[in-house]
Amino acid sequence: MSTLTQHLLARIEAHGPMTVADYMGEALLHPTMGYYTTRDPLGAAGDFTTAPEISQMFGELIGLSLAQAWLDQGAPAPFTLAELGPGRGTLMADILRATRAVPGFHAAAQLHLVEASPTLRVKQRDTLGDQVTWHDSLDTLPDQPLYLIANEFFDALPIRQYQRGSEGWHERLIAMRDGALAFALGPELPQPHLTHRLADTEPDNIVETCPQATAIADQIGTRIRDAGGTALLIDYGDWRSQGDTLQALQDHAFIDPLTAPGASDLTAHVDFEALAQAAPCAHSRLTPQGVFLERLGITARAQTLAANLSGAALASHIAAHRRLTHPEEMGNLFKVLALFPEGGTPPAGCTT
């Protein structure tokens, strides 16, 4: 039994069952035993691989989409170029390389990263150098135009789960059973924020909410409304939450979410409808990642890169293109939602 499991069981014994959100918060961000605070989870030696680690093409095209949005809005200077949950800094490095030739973009850009993990901040400094200002939250970003990317950020924010009863909702909780962590249900209560979900659910259906995600979407949208800019939110999920999507990943394989808190990555599908409704600015249609990347020209870019490759390197490159875009891989599972000013146009790759 892990030390964090023992800590959680002691907490439950002392204070009663905890919400799924509290469990995720402890498992991922406990100061000394949390998953993100104690390790680099990325790559072959970690537990999962994100799109920027698969191919440079992903970050290059995102960079050009953001740069075009910046040009379309009159090339404001200075502006904040920000990333939420930037991993090792690979995505931002690719963005910066791809936009180097855009006149005035780098001179006007001020680089800001929102990162909770001390371990990953070290990796980001190794990748990006000292040109970065780090933040614990969006609260301290400068008040100026914001061009932001959040790739696989919202999926790791703590969710709450509710199971529909006959008239109200039971909150799904983490309790102790036979000395181990186990799911349980709270009493059936009215949940006013879920009244609209009574029309598309039945008893025993599970609905997930993420108050932290909608609060962050509100912050991003408010900044874009007030100062201009664009945000690209890329994650797996769909337009509306439905069902139990909490999952744990360890060594690139799925495991029981309650088995190894602190030693496995916990995520849940993103409810993009909730993000769009929370942001007080315009938003794009929800676009599959494969469609988004194809609109930006990933196939032409892949062909250009392939011209200088052969053998195993070429095979790996072809596989990366497929993994990012094919409907049976990341192409349909991952979606893109863009935020931009009212009356403006969505960034390249997205439509209204």
Coordinates of all heavy atoms in Angstrom, one line a residue, residues 52-100:
P52 N 2.7 16.9 -28.6 CA 4.0 17.5 -29.0 C 5.2 16.6 -28.9 O 6.2 16.8 -29.6 CB 4.1 18.6 -27.9 CG 2.8 18.8 -27.4 CD 2.1 17.5 -27.5
E53 N 5.1 15.5 -28.1 CA 6.2 14.5 -28.0 C 6.2 13.6 -29.2 O 7.2 12.9 -29.4 CB 6.1 13.8 -26.7 CG 6.0 14.6 -25.4 CD 7.3 15.3 -25.1 OE1 8.4 14.8 -25.5 OE2 7.3 16.4 -24.4
I54 N 5.0 13.5 -29.9 CA 4.9 12.6 -31.0 C 5.6 13.1 -32.2 O 6.3 12.4 -33.0 CB 3.4 12.3 -31.2 CG1 2.8 11.5 -30.1 CG2 3.2 11.5 -32.6 CD1 1.3 11.3 -30.1
S55 N 5.3 14.4 -32.5 CA 5.9 15.0 -33.7 C 6.0 16.6 -33.5 O 5.1 17.2 -33.0 CB 5.0 14.7 -34.9 OG 5.5 15.5 -36.0
Q56 N 7.1 17.1 -34.1 CA 7.2 18.6 -34.1 C 6.1 19.3 -34.9 O 5.9 20.5 -34.7 CB 8.6 18.9 -34.7 CG 8.7 18.6 -36.2 CD 10.0 18.9 -36.8 OE1 11.0 18.1 -36.4 NE2 10.2 19.8 -37.7
M57 N 5.5 18.6 -35.8 CA 4.5 19.2 -36.7 C 3.3 19.8 -35.9 O 2.7 20.8 -36.3 CB 3.9 18.2 -37.7 CG 5.0 17.6 -38.7 SD 4.2 16.5 -39.9 CE 3.8 15.1 -38.9
F58 N 3.0 19.1 -34.8 CA 1.8 19.5 -34.0 C 2.1 21.0 -33.5 O 1.3 21.9 -33.7 CB 1.7 18.6 -32.8 CG 0.5 18.9 -31.9 CD1 -0.8 18.5 -32.3 CD2 0.7 19.5 -30.7 CE1 -1.9 18.8 -31.4 CE2 -0.4 19.8 -29.8 CZ -1.7 19.4 -30.2
G59 N 3.2 21.2 -32.8 CA 3.5 22.5 -32.3 C 3.7 23.6 -33.4 O 3.4 24.7 -33.2
E60 N 4.4 23.2 -34.5 CA 4.6 24.1 -35.5 C 3.3 24.7 -36.1 O 3.2 25.9 -36.3 CB 5.4 23.4 -36.7 CG 6.8 23.1 -36.3 CD 7.5 22.2 -37.4 OE1 6.8 21.7 -38.3 OE2 8.7 22.1 -37.3
L61 N 2.3 23.8 -36.3 CA 1.1 24.3 -36.9 C 0.3 25.1 -35.9 O -0.4 26.1 -36.3 CB 0.3 23.1 -37.4 CG 0.9 22.3 -38.6 CD1 0.1 21.1 -38.9 CD2 1.0 23.2 -39.8
I62 N 0.3 24.7 -34.6 CA -0.3 25.6 -33.6 C 0.3 26.9 -33.5 O -0.4 28.0 -33.4 CB -0.3 24.8 -32.3 CG1 -1.3 23.7 -32.2 CG2 -0.6 25.8 -31.1 CD1 -1.2 22.8 -31.0
G63 N 1.6 27.0 -33.6 CA 2.3 28.3 -33.6 C 1.9 29.2 -34.7 O 1.6 30.4 -34.5
L64 N 1.8 28.6 -35.9 CA 1.4 29.4 -37.1 C 0.0 29.9 -37.0 O -0.4 31.0 -37.4 CB 1.7 28.6 -38.3 CG 3.1 28.3 -38.6 CD1 3.3 27.4 -39.9 CD2 3.9 29.6 -38.8
S65 N -0.9 29.0 -36.4 CA -2.3 29.4 -36.2 C -2.4 30.6 -35.2 O -3.1 31.6 -35.5 CB -3.1 28.3 -35.7 OG -4.5 28.6 -35.4
L66 N -1.6 30.6 -34.1 CA -1.6 31.7 -33.2 C -1.0 32.9 -33.8 O -1.5 34.0 -33.5 CB -0.9 31.3 -31.9 CG -1.5 30.2 -31.0 CD1 -0.5 29.8 -29.9 CD2 -2.8 30.7 -30.4
A67 N 0.0 32.8 -34.5 CA 0.7 33.9 -35.2 C -0.3 34.6 -36.2 O -0.3 35.8 -36.3 CB 2.0 33.5 -35.8
Q68 N -1.0 33.8 -36.9 CA -1.9 34.4 -37.9 C -3.1 35.1 -37.2 O -3.5 36.2 -37.6 CB -2.5 33.3 -38.8 CG -3.4 33.8 -39.9 CD -2.7 34.7 -40.8 OE1 -1.7 34.3 -41.4 NE2 -3.2 36.0 -41.0
A69 N -3.5 34.5 -36.0 CA -4.5 35.2 -35.2 C -4.0 36.6 -34.7 O -4.7 37.6 -34.7 CB -5.0 34.3 -34.1
W70 N -2.7 36.6 -34.3 CA -2.1 37.8 -33.9 C -2.0 38.8 -35.0 O -2.4 40.0 -34.8 CB -0.7 37.5 -33.4 CG 0.2 38.6 -33.0 CD1 0.0 39.4 -31.8 CD2 1.3 39.1 -33.7 NE1 1.0 40.3 -31.8 CE2 1.8 40.2 -32.9 CE3 1.9 38.8 -34.9 CZ2 2.9 41.0 -33.3 CZ3 3.0 39.5 -35.3 CH2 3.5 40.6 -34.5
L71 N -1.7 38.4 -36.2 CA -1.7 39.3 -37.3 C -3.1 39.8 -37.7 O -3.3 41.0 -37.9 CB -1.1 38.6 -38.5 CG 0.4 38.3 -38.5 CD1 0.9 37.4 -39.6 CD2 1.3 39.6 -38.5
D72 N -4.0 38.9 -37.6 CA -5.4 39.3 -37.9 C -6.0 40.3 -37.0 O -6.9 41.1 -37.3 CB -6.3 38.0 -37.9 CG -6.0 37.1 -39.1 OD1 -5.4 37.5 -40.1 OD2 -6.5 35.9 -39.0
Q73 N -5.4 40.3 -35.7 CA -5.9 41.3 -34.7 C -5.0 42.5 -34.7 O -5.1 43.3 -33.7 CB -6.0 40.6 -33.4 CG -7.1 39.5 -33.3 CD -7.2 38.9 -32.0 OE1 -7.0 39.5 -30.9 NE2 -7.6 37.6 -31.9
G74 N -4.2 42.7 -35.7 CA -3.5 44.0 -35.8 C -2.1 43.9 -35.2 O -1.5 45.0 -34.9
A75 N -1.6 42.7 -34.9 CA -0.2 42.5 -34.3 C 0.0 43.4 -33.1 O 1.0 44.2 -33.1 CB 0.8 42.8 -35.4
P76 N -0.8 43.2 -32.0 CA -0.6 44.0 -30.8 C 0.8 43.8 -30.2 O 1.3 42.6 -30.2 CB -1.7 43.6 -29.9 CG -2.1 42.2 -30.4 CD -1.9 42.2 -31.9
A77 N 1.3 44.8 -29.6 CA 2.6 44.7 -28.9 C 2.6 45.6 -27.7 O 2.1 46.7 -27.7 CB 3.7 45.1 -29.8
P78 N 3.1 45.0 -26.5 CA 3.4 43.6 -26.3 C 2.2 42.7 -26.2 O 1.1 43.2 -26.0 CB 4.3 43.7 -25.0 CG 3.6 44.8 -24.2 CD 3.2 45.8 -25.3
F79 N 2.4 41.4 -26.2 CA 1.4 40.5 -25.9 C 1.9 39.3 -25.1 O 3.1 39.0 -25.1 CB 0.7 40.0 -27.2 CG 1.5 39.0 -28.0 CD1 1.4 37.6 -27.8 CD2 2.4 39.5 -29.0 CE1 2.2 36.8 -28.6 CE2 3.1 38.6 -29.8 CZ 3.0 37.2 -29.6
T80 N 1.0 38.6 -24.5 CA 1.4 37.4 -23.7 C 1.2 36.2 -24.5 O 0.1 35.9 -25.1 CB 0.5 37.3 -22.4 OG1 0.7 38.4 -21.6 CG2 0.8 36.0 -21.7
L81 N 2.3 35.4 -24.7 CA 2.2 34.1 -25.3 C 2.3 33.1 -24.2 O 3.3 33.0 -23.5 CB 3.4 33.9 -26.3 CG 3.5 32.6 -27.0 CD1 2.3 32.3 -27.8 CD2 4.8 32.5 -27.9
A82 N 1.2 32.4 -23.9 CA 1.1 31.6 -22.7 C 0.7 30.1 -23.0 O 0.1 29.8 -24.0 CB 0.1 32.2 -21.7
E83 N 1.2 29.2 -22.1 CA 0.8 27.8 -22.2 C 0.4 27.4 -20.8 O 1.1 27.7 -19.8 CB 1.9 27.0 -22.8 CG 1.4 25.5 -23.0 CD 2.4 24.6 -23.6 OE1 3.5 25.1 -24.0 OE2 2.1 23.4 -23.7
L84 N -0.7 26.6 -20.7 CA -1.1 26.0 -19.5 C -0.7 24.6 -19.5 O -0.9 23.8 -20.4 CB -2.7 26.1 -19.4 CG -3.3 27.4 -19.5 CD1 -4.8 27.3 -19.3 CD2 -2.7 28.5 -18.7
G85 N 0.0 24.2 -18.4 CA 0.5 22.8 -18.3 C 1.4 22.4 -19.4 O 1.1 21.5 -20.2
P86 N 2.6 23.1 -19.5 CA 3.4 23.0 -20.7 C 4.3 21.7 -20.7 O 5.2 21.7 -21.6 CB 4.2 24.3 -20.7 CG 4.2 24.7 -19.3 CD 3.0 24.2 -18.6
G87 N 4.2 20.8 -19.9 CA 5.0 19.5 -19.9 C 6.5 19.8 -19.8 O 6.9 20.5 -18.9
R88 N 7.2 19.4 -20.8 CA 8.7 19.6 -20.8 C 9.0 20.9 -21.6 O 10.2 21.2 -21.7 CB 9.4 18.4 -21.5 CG 9.3 17.1 -20.8 CD 9.8 16.0 -21.6 NE 9.9 14.7 -20.9 CZ 10.1 13.6 -21.5 NH1 10.3 13.5 -22.8 NH2 10.1 12.4 -20.8
G89 N 8.0 21.6 -22.1 CA 8.3 22.8 -22.9 C 8.5 22.5 -24.4 O 8.8 23.4 -25.2
T90 N 8.2 21.2 -24.8 CA 8.4 20.8 -26.2 C 7.5 21.6 -27.1 O 7.9 22.1 -28.2 CB 8.2 19.3 -26.3 OG1 9.0 18.6 -25.4 CG2 8.4 18.9 -27.7
L91 N 6.2 21.7 -26.7 CA 5.2 22.4 -27.6 C 5.6 23.8 -27.8 O 5.6 24.4 -28.9 CB 3.8 22.3 -27.0 CG 2.7 23.0 -27.6 CD1 2.6 22.7 -29.1 CD2 1.4 22.8 -26.9
M92 N 6.0 24.5 -26.7 CA 6.3 25.9 -26.8 C 7.6 26.1 -27.6 O 7.7 27.1 -28.4 CB 6.4 26.6 -25.4 CG 6.7 28.1 -25.5 SD 5.4 29.0 -26.4 CE 4.0 28.9 -25.2
A93 N 8.5 25.2 -27.5 CA 9.8 25.3 -28.3 C 9.4 25.2 -29.8 O 10.0 25.9 -30.6 CB 10.7 24.2 -27.9
D94 N 8.5 24.3 -30.1 CA 8.1 24.1 -31.5 C 7.3 25.4 -32.0 O 7.5 25.8 -33.2 CB 7.2 22.9 -31.7 CG 8.0 21.6 -31.5 OD1 9.3 21.6 -31.7 OD2 7.4 20.5 -31.2
I95 N 6.5 25.9 -31.2 CA 5.8 27.2 -31.5 C 6.8 28.3 -31.8 O 6.6 29.0 -32.8 CB 4.8 27.6 -30.4 CG1 3.6 26.6 -30.3 CG2 4.3 29.0 -30.5 CD1 2.7 26.8 -29.1
L96 N 7.8 28.4 -31.0 CA 8.7 29.5 -31.1 C 9.6 29.3 -32.4 O 9.9 30.3 -33.1 CB 9.6 29.6 -29.9 CG 8.9 30.1 -28.6 CD1 9.9 30.0 -27.4 CD2 8.4 31.5 -28.8
R97 N 9.9 28.1 -32.7 CA 10.7 27.8 -33.9 C 9.9 28.1 -35.1 O 10.4 28.8 -36.1 CB 11.2 26.4 -33.9 CG 12.1 26.1 -35.1 CD 12.6 24.6 -35.2 NE 11.5 23.7 -35.3 CZ 10.9 23.0 -34.4 NH1 11.4 23.0 -33.1 NH2 9.9 22.2 -34.6
A98 N 8.6 27.7 -35.1 CA 7.8 27.9 -36.3 C 7.5 29.4 -36.6 O 7.2 29.8 -37.7 CB 6.5 27.1 -36.2
T99 N 7.4 30.2 -35.5 CA 7.0 31.6 -35.7 C 8.2 32.5 -35.8 O 8.0 33.8 -35.8 CB 6.1 32.0 -34.5 OG1 6.8 31.8 -33.2 CG2 4.8 31.2 -34.5
R100 N 9.4 32.0 -35.8 CA 10.6 32.9 -35.8 C 10.6 33.8 -37.0 O 11.1 35.0 -37.0 CB 11.9 32.0 -35.9 CG 13.1 32.8 -35.6 CD 14.3 31.8 -35.6 NE 14.2 30.9 -34.5 CZ 14.3 29.6 -34.6 NH1 14.4 29.0 -35.8 NH2 14.2 28.8 -33.5

